[in-house]
Amino acid sequence: MQRFTFCNLLVIILLAIQITSYSQQADKVMVVVIDGARYTETFGDPSYTYIPRMKELATQGTIISNFKNDGYTYTSRAIPALWCGAWTGVQSITYNGASTQFTNLPSIFEYYRKQKDMPANECFYILKYISSLWLPSFDDDYGQEYWPTFNSTGSTDRDVANQTQQIIDSQQPHFLWVYLADVDAAGHSGNWNQYTRSIEIADSIVGVLWDRVQAHPFYQNTTTLLVTNDHGRHDDQHGGFKGHGCTCNGCRQMQFLAVGPDIKQNFVSSQPRVLPDFAVTASYILGINPEKSTGNVMHEIFNSTSVKHIDNSNFTLQGSFPNPFSESTRIRYTLSKTSKVKLSVYSVTGALVSTLVSETQNEGEHSVIWNGYDAYGNHLPQGVYILRLVVDRAQKSIAVVRLANKKTWN
């Protein structure tokens, strides 16, 4: 067995200190969803033929090369999943005289407005005119009171871009979700030139919007841009670019681009990620807890040198002892009131290892013992792990060092 030296331990502890108890500097998020762009025409093209602006932005940020739609590869189910950070059921409804659908689970818009106590003009959903908009949830804990401001006007992606710039200038919301629909429509038309031209226009819009927020004093250096799509299109072996909706890699593979003050620069992550992780990561940047989601935060995209410590008066996370540990460690925390509590263990790459607590607990002191096993009873290897305590709408994290065996280091 490899000996675990004091130098090994020191390096791990320094890493642990660096990633303990942090939040992000950026407090504004702009999401751009490009509906139906196939990966082979975006970041899967080594020459970046149709996305020169996003190629340029990628040198300032992070792309994920293994980001997949792991559920339904069509818009009516994938967009709700992007909103909710989970594959949610949808229900039919007649709303304002039009037949449409709403999500069973709360959306990121609802989490943001309720947990941050934000008015409607701080959260915009911007898209072309649609007579029967898909709706967020009527969830008992969230619901219609916390929906975003819908700005549905115009008929093209260029119209959406113009509306977004006007909203940036006049309203200055902290959270914008921009939906570009023309690429998918052009793909379904079967016209290759029209399809690729639509991708070029969407790419240009991403660049224009980023330039606008970077030139605006309210947004400059405090905004994170996230770009993705909801599904791809059939690869050539399964029908080609004209359609989508199956499980082929062309339909499943999606693009992901992140740029912002807390995002790693010129970084490509190959860590597998799935569609529900998107809204959960956006929520993390906004400082909210998407409590009914199933996705995970993409911790690997963040630049740890930009993190800073925060405190929260509603609870205290005292830490764990012993730390480092070999057999078990006791995590202690104190609640100032009865609260919903979730205590989870993550790897340093952001993968969920185990959930130790998920329940409502009374105010006062609490402690939990973690024995270094994952959720399936597997003995975890030595290394750094993140303990994340989520209490109602807030969270704190600490790093713990897991040793393989007491006797293997000196």
Side-chain angles (χ1 to χ4, degrees), residues 262-310:
D262 302 314
I263 304 298
K264 291 178 181 177
Q265 293 189 5
N266 200 26
F267 179 66
V268 178
S269 171
S270 59
Q271 179 174 336
R273 288 297 184 179
V274 293
L275 186 147
D277 296 341
F278 185 84
V280 176
T281 302
S283 297
Y284 173 77
I285 299 169
L286 290 167
I288 56 177
N289 173 27
E291 58 180 321
K292 302 184 182 183
S293 66
T294 61
N296 294 304
V297 177
M298 301 170 178
H299 287 289
E300 68 276 10
I301 74 173
F302 295 107
N303 179 6
S304 60
T305 62
S306 65
V307 300
K308 58 184 180 180
H309 178 77
I310 59 169

Side-chain angles (χ1 to χ4, degrees), residues 18-299:
Q18 186 180 35
I19 59 180
T20 296
S21 299
Y22 61 92
S23 69
Q24 304 307 119
Q25 290 181 352
D27 65 345
K28 305 173 189 73
V29 170
M30 179 167 65
V31 170
V32 179
V33 177
I34 303 173
D35 190 335
R38 193 168 62 171
Y39 190 68
T40 49
E41 283 76 67
T42 58
F43 287 106
D45 173 10
S47 64
Y48 305 99
T49 305
Y50 309 110
I51 58 165
R53 279 308 312 270
M54 285 193 280
K55 174 192 176 184
E56 175 188 343
L57 289 176
T59 65
Q60 304 171 36
T62 290
I63 62 176
I64 295 178
S65 62
N66 194 9
F67 185 46
K68 297 292 183 67
N69 177 320
D70 59 332
Y72 302 97
T73 57
Y74 48 87
T75 305
S76 62
R77 295 301 299 274
I79 289 296
L82 277 175
W83 288 355
C84 300
W87 287 102
T88 176
V90 295
Q91 301 292 323
S92 297
I93 188 176
T94 300
Y95 185 80
N96 289 339
S99 296
T100 186
Q101 294 179 323
F102 65 91
T103 65
N104 288 345
L105 292 175
S107 66
I108 186 173
F109 314 116
E110 298 161 71
Y111 292 128
Y112 178 67
R113 287 200 53 212
K114 181 176 181 179
Q115 294 180 19
K116 290 286 189 178
D117 193 24
M118 287 292 188
N121 64 356
E122 283 286 2
C123 180
F124 272 82
Y125 181 44
I126 309 164
L127 70 167
K128 71 179 184 180
Y129 174 72
I130 296 177
S131 60
S132 55
L133 286 169
W134 292 329
L135 303 174
S137 82
F138 291 90
D139 184 87
D140 290 340
D141 297 322
Y142 291 93
Q144 187 175 7
E145 181 182 354
Y146 303 105
W147 287 359
T149 296
F150 292 100
N151 190 96
S152 177
T153 186
S155 58
T156 68
D157 285 351
R158 287 192 177 95
D159 294 333
V160 174
N162 290 333
Q163 286 294 310
T164 302
Q165 292 177 84
Q166 291 178 28
I167 290 167
I168 287 171
D169 291 337
S170 63
Q171 301 293 325
Q172 297 178 24
H174 278 72
F175 185 23
L176 301 101
W177 187 291
V178 183
Y179 175 63
L180 305 179
D182 287 355
V183 171
D184 190 54
H188 286 299
S189 75
N191 185 315
W192 174 258
N193 291 334
Q194 183 180 340
Y195 164 63
T196 55
R197 179 57 183 155
S198 295
I199 296 175
E200 292 174 330
I201 292 171
D203 172 72
S204 175
I205 288 171
V206 170
V208 166
L209 295 181
W210 181 246
D211 291 344
R212 177 60 66 96
V213 299
Q214 287 303 98
H216 198 296
F218 180 72
Y219 292 100
Q220 187 179 44
N221 299 324
T222 59
T223 303
T224 302
L225 169 68
L226 300 174
V227 183
T228 190
N229 48 309
D230 51 344
H231 57 76
R233 316 194 72 78
H234 296 315
D235 54 37
D236 292 341
Q237 292 74 38
H238 296 84
F241 77 98
K242 298 179 183 179
H244 58 86
C246 74
T247 60
C248 74
N249 190 62
C251 289
R252 291 214 181 277
Q253 182 78 45
M254 301 194 299
Q255 65 176 344
F256 177 93
L257 168 67
V259 187
D262 302 314
I263 304 298
K264 291 178 181 177
Q265 293 189 5
N266 200 26
F267 179 66
V268 178
S269 171
S270 59
Q271 179 174 336
R273 288 297 184 179
V274 293
L275 186 147
D277 296 341
F278 185 84
V280 176
T281 302
S283 297
Y284 173 77
I285 299 169
L286 290 167
I288 56 177
N289 173 27
E291 58 180 321
K292 302 184 182 183
S293 66
T294 61
N296 294 304
V297 177
M298 301 170 178
H299 287 289

